[in-house]
Amino acid sequence: MTHLTVYKDQDFNATIISNQFIDEYMVEANVAQIKIYLYLVRMTNANLPFSLSDIADRFNYMEKDVLRALRYWEKQKLLSLDYDSEQNLKAVHILPFPSLNATAEIVPLTPKLAPVPTPVPASPKTVFTADDLEVFRNNNETAQIIFVAEQYTGKMLSRSDVETLFFIYDTLKFEPDLIDYLIQYCVGKGKKQFSYMEKVAIDWSESHITSVKEAKLRTAKFDKQVYGIMQALGKTTTPTDPEIAYIRKWFDTFGFSYDVILKACERTVLKVDRNRFPYADGILSKWHEANVKSVRDIEALDSSHQKTPLPSSKKDGGFNDFAQRSYDYNALEKMLLSN
């Protein structure tokens, strides 16, 4: 057999991978497991921040697929995983390579908590006949689903695409409004592939999600902007349902953009150490009443308040008893006292 000669014409910005990983571990691992481990090493070596959702988005996986891969490498003793009290993954330790012939066991860096149970996978995708698909296309309710999907994805659906929608509707028993939200959610994340929509739908089905409201609560927990708001308010835990309800109100009811909400969060942490969500909600409610739409509107509102003098008491000489303060400062103080 002829051996290949490999030439390197330039120096590369490289990530170093152990030969032991290539020789002993790659053979048994699947593609997803290899991709995720290499990505972890690359990001760690470069000291770059990343999250579970970042990995899932990069490789078009579900977050639970990423977790399965991480648990696989934990079993191989190449990683150690830390969980919080609610069994959410909070840290990953990359461990030194053990020898496959070694008898010594690698001790995790921290005590290992009980493993997160793996959901039972959904039934295999049904194979539909041409007659099945024809009925699906011509039914008024399901024809509307196809139309909506074509509008969101900007293309005519292939047979495979229609089969995916039929599977979600007929096998997973999703109502049309839930399918509509599913498509919106995936397209909004930049994922127009129907294979990705199918993975999300199966995940929702396994989590017993049957309504748009339940789906919104679930997706909010994994939304990057939600975690950005949590961080801006000094929160490091997984958002609770009441906290998600506040955030959804700010986005959906008030219609604020992410940067406007962050401005309210910045002002909140400067004023209070507790009850930050109600306090931020008070600020945003005032902005909503003032028809604020952008950060520039906030600046204009602040400027107008600073130019408006407050009523003052006067003594014989006509001097003010108190120094004037801006309306914005008083409004925040009143909200604080009312909480």
Side-chain angles (χ1 to χ4, degrees), residues 168-207:
I168 296 170
Y169 175 80
D170 185 71
T171 305
L172 299 185
K173 306 300 182 184
F174 276 31
E175 293 293 332
D177 61 338
L178 184 55
I179 298 176
D180 188 313
Y181 177 70
L182 168 72
I183 299 169
Q184 287 185 55
Y185 170 70
C186 293
V187 172
K189 287 171 63 68
K191 308 290 186 182
K192 294 186 178 182
Q193 305 93 330
F194 279 78
S195 58
Y196 183 83
M197 295 179 194
E198 181 182 322
K199 290 179 182 178
V200 175
I202 291 173
D203 179 62
W204 290 1
S205 177
E206 291 174 349
S207 301

Side-chain angles (χ1 to χ4, degrees), residues 75-335:
K75 289 179 181 178
Q76 302 303 314
K77 304 191 189 314
L78 296 190
L79 299 179
S80 174
L81 307 179
D82 291 347
Y83 301 93
D84 62 20
S85 59
E86 297 180 354
Q87 295 299 301
N88 298 306
L89 184 66
K90 68 175 184 178
V92 179
H93 304 273
I94 298 180
L95 301 177
F97 277 85
S99 169
L100 290 184
N101 297 321
T103 57
E105 185 179 24
I106 301 297
V107 180
L109 299 181
T110 57
K112 188 175 175 183
L113 302 177
V116 180
T118 302
V120 178
S123 302
K125 187 173 177 180
T126 308
V127 177
F128 300 107
T129 66
D131 290 339
D132 291 333
L133 297 181
E134 188 65 21
V135 171
F136 183 71
R137 286 180 181 275
N138 292 329
N139 178 279
N140 288 336
E141 184 175 67
T142 51
Q144 181 66 22
I145 294 173
I146 295 175
F147 173 77
V148 167
E150 289 178 338
Q151 295 304 304
Y152 279 121
T153 59
K155 69 168 188 173
M156 293 290 293
L157 303 192
S158 66
R159 176 187 172 116
S160 175
D161 298 335
V162 175
E163 286 180 339
T164 296
L165 291 177
F166 196 3
F167 166 73
I168 296 170
Y169 175 80
D170 185 71
T171 305
L172 299 185
K173 306 300 182 184
F174 276 31
E175 293 293 332
D177 61 338
L178 184 55
I179 298 176
D180 188 313
Y181 177 70
L182 168 72
I183 299 169
Q184 287 185 55
Y185 170 70
C186 293
V187 172
K189 287 171 63 68
K191 308 290 186 182
K192 294 186 178 182
Q193 305 93 330
F194 279 78
S195 58
Y196 183 83
M197 295 179 194
E198 181 182 322
K199 290 179 182 178
V200 175
I202 291 173
D203 179 62
W204 290 1
S205 177
E206 291 174 349
S207 301
H208 307 292
I209 289 172
T210 58
S211 69
V212 173
K213 181 178 179 180
E214 292 170 343
K216 285 185 175 181
L217 285 173
R218 179 170 180 81
T219 55
K221 288 189 176 182
F222 301 105
D223 191 316
K224 291 180 182 179
Q225 290 187 336
V226 168
Y227 278 93
I229 292 168
M230 292 289 289
Q231 185 176 9
L233 288 173
K235 299 278 190 175
T236 58
T237 57
T238 299
T240 63
D241 288 348
E243 289 170 344
I244 290 173
Y246 271 120
I247 296 172
R248 290 267 66 88
K249 173 186 175 182
W250 301 338
F251 278 118
D252 299 339
T253 304
F254 289 168
F256 284 132
S257 61
Y258 182 54
D259 54 350
V260 168
I261 295 173
L262 288 185
K263 280 291 182 183
C265 294
E266 290 174 6
R267 298 189 179 195
T268 296
V269 297
L270 291 175
K271 286 294 181 182
V272 295
D273 293 325
R274 302 176 61 185
N275 300 322
R276 286 179 171 175
F277 269 92
Y279 193 92
D281 185 63
I283 295 174
L284 289 165
S285 295
K286 291 291 185 182
W287 288 352
H288 180 63
E289 292 171 4
N291 201 32
V292 166
K293 301 296 183 184
S294 66
V295 172
R296 184 171 295 179
D297 291 341
I298 298 170
E299 295 169 351
L301 187 65
D302 290 345
S303 178
S304 66
H305 287 161
Q306 289 169 359
K307 292 177 181 178
T308 303
L310 296 177
S312 59
S313 59
K314 297 182 179 180
K315 294 187 178 180
D316 295 338
F319 295 100
N320 293 343
D321 287 331
F322 303 101
Q324 292 182 356
R325 295 176 294 181
S326 71
Y327 173 82
D328 188 57
Y329 177 83
N330 281 335
L332 293 178
E333 290 290 82
K334 289 178 182 178
M335 283 186 285

